[in-house]
Amino acid sequence: MDSITHFRGSLMRKTKRELIVQIDGLENELQQVRNDKRKIQHEFEMQTVSMQKIATDFDIEIAKTEEKRKELLTNLSNQDANSSNLMQQMDQCTIQNRQLTAERDGLLVQLEELKQQKTIAQNKTLELIASLESIARDSQLKLSESLATNSALKLQSLQVKAENQMKLLHLQLSEKTQVIEINKLQLENQQLKTQLKKEEEGRSCPICLCPWQESGNHRLVTLPCGHLFGDGCVKAHLRQNSTCPLCRSRAKLNNLIYLFGFNASTSGN
């Protein structure tokens, strides 16, 4: 009986110690849980502040994006207006080219007429010279038969005078014809050079001198200054220089304006 009581007492003491140990462990765990709770609550507050800041930054970015969108719409509208103006200018240039072509054809016709007139004048001059030579020969024969030595001297003087007059007449006719022809040829040459230059500039890239294409790497683009180039050529230039290849005005890659509805095969007409 005493041993049973002793065993029970020993078991209760052991159980009590284990319970105390368990209670201490639970209190420690509870304290740890409280610490974790405070830590989580602090992190939640920090995340809340961070989220509020992100939301504010997001609203600011949305406002900036909206401003950029409005600015891009304005730029797009201006580019459409510039493209319309350029197309009008190109139409005017086409009309001027046709007028200049008609004027050139008229000048070529006039030049051909002047060449024909020159040929007729040369033939008449040759006929006149032949007639004068025939008259001189006839006069020489007649005078040699009827006149004496003094008359022969006079005849020789008349012959020299006639030859000089014929030479002078021939020179005057030749000089006038040559001057007219030279002036006309110079005028035609200058006009043809100007016309060819305008036509070449109107249908070719001024960088590579190759015709534009309706699409692809050599499609038609323009800069804000109004000069026209092939897409690939002007991009390669602007990667090394920030100016227009022709007028040297400020230009960048994002300033390129693509022209639509342009037929490269008829740009020089």
Side-chain angles (χ1 to χ4, degrees), residues 157-194:
S157 176
L158 290 173
Q159 288 177 345
V160 172
K161 185 176 180 180
E163 289 177 358
N164 290 334
Q165 289 179 350
M166 286 189 293
K167 289 180 180 179
L168 180 61
L169 178 61
H170 180 72
L171 289 175
Q172 289 177 349
L173 291 174
S174 177
E175 287 177 358
K176 289 181 179 179
T177 305
Q178 289 178 356
V179 169
I180 293 173
E181 182 180 7
I182 289 172
N183 290 335
K184 295 297 181 181
L185 289 175
Q186 287 178 347
L187 178 60
E188 180 193 15
N189 187 31
Q190 184 65 31
Q191 290 177 344
L192 289 175
K193 285 182 178 179
T194 304

Side-chain angles (χ1 to χ4, degrees), residues 6 38 44 46 74 90 96 102 107 138 155-156 166 188 190 195 200 222 230 232 236 251 269:
H6 178 73
R38 285 194 296 270
F44 178 76
M46 293 296 292
T74 302
M90 291 175 65
Q96 291 177 357
L107 289 174
D138 293 341
L155 176 61
Q156 185 177 3
M166 286 189 293
E188 180 193 15
Q190 184 65 31
Q195 178 66 19
E200 289 296 330
T222 182
N269 295 331

Side-chain angles (χ1 to χ4, degrees), residues 6-236:
H6 178 73
F7 176 74
R8 286 181 177 177
S10 176
L11 181 60
M12 290 179 66
R13 287 191 298 273
K14 183 177 180 181
T15 302
K16 184 178 180 180
R17 285 195 300 271
E18 290 177 352
L19 289 173
I20 292 171
V21 171
Q22 290 178 359
I23 290 171
D24 292 338
L26 289 173
E27 288 180 351
N28 291 332
E29 290 179 0
L30 180 61
Q31 184 65 31
Q32 183 66 31
V33 170
R34 289 174 179 171
N35 292 334
D36 292 341
K37 178 183 178 182
R38 285 194 296 270
K39 183 177 179 181
I40 291 172
Q41 187 174 8
H42 178 70
E43 291 179 353
F44 178 76
E45 291 175 353
M46 293 296 292
Q47 289 180 356
T48 301
V49 173
S50 178
M51 289 297 292
Q52 290 176 350
K53 183 178 180 181
I54 291 172
T56 302
D57 293 340
F58 186 71
D59 292 337
I60 293 173
E61 290 297 327
I62 289 175
K64 290 181 179 179
T65 303
E66 183 65 20
E67 291 179 358
K68 289 182 179 179
R69 185 182 71 83
K70 292 179 180 179
E71 183 179 354
L72 288 173
L73 289 174
T74 302
N75 291 335
L76 181 60
S77 177
N78 293 333
Q79 289 180 359
D80 291 339
N82 291 333
S83 298
S84 177
N85 292 332
L86 285 173
M87 293 302 295
Q88 292 177 357
Q89 292 177 4
M90 291 175 65
D91 292 338
Q92 292 176 357
C93 289
T94 301
I95 294 172
Q96 291 177 357
N97 286 336
R98 291 174 180 174
Q99 293 175 351
L100 289 173
T101 301
E103 291 178 1
R104 181 196 63 184
D105 295 339
L107 289 174
L108 290 174
V109 172
Q110 292 178 4
L111 179 60
E112 187 65 26
E113 292 176 354
L114 287 172
K115 288 181 179 179
Q116 293 176 359
Q117 293 176 3
K118 174 190 172 184
T119 302
I120 293 172
Q122 287 178 343
N123 292 333
K124 289 183 177 180
T125 302
L126 293 175
E127 291 176 358
L128 180 61
I129 292 172
S131 177
L132 290 174
E133 289 177 349
S134 176
I135 293 172
R137 286 193 298 270
D138 293 341
S139 298
Q140 183 179 6
L141 291 174
K142 290 178 180 180
L143 289 173
S144 63
E145 293 176 355
S146 61
L147 298 176
T149 304
N150 292 332
S151 298
L153 294 176
K154 290 181 179 180
L155 176 61
Q156 185 177 3
S157 176
L158 290 173
Q159 288 177 345
V160 172
K161 185 176 180 180
E163 289 177 358
N164 290 334
Q165 289 179 350
M166 286 189 293
K167 289 180 180 179
L168 180 61
L169 178 61
H170 180 72
L171 289 175
Q172 289 177 349
L173 291 174
S174 177
E175 287 177 358
K176 289 181 179 179
T177 305
Q178 289 178 356
V179 169
I180 293 173
E181 182 180 7
I182 289 172
N183 290 335
K184 295 297 181 181
L185 289 175
Q186 287 178 347
L187 178 60
E188 180 193 15
N189 187 31
Q190 184 65 31
Q191 290 177 344
L192 289 175
K193 285 182 178 179
T194 304
Q195 178 66 19
L196 288 174
K197 183 177 180 181
K198 289 182 178 179
E199 291 180 355
E200 289 296 330
E201 291 177 352
R203 64 170 180 263
S204 301
C205 172
I207 296 177
C208 66
L209 302 181
C210 295
W212 294 308
Q213 299 175 355
E214 296 181 15
S215 61
N217 189 43
H218 207 251
R219 65 180 297 181
L220 181 63
V221 298
T222 182
L223 291 174
C225 60
H227 290 118
L228 304 175
F229 305 97
D231 186 23
C233 295
V234 74
K235 281 183 178 178

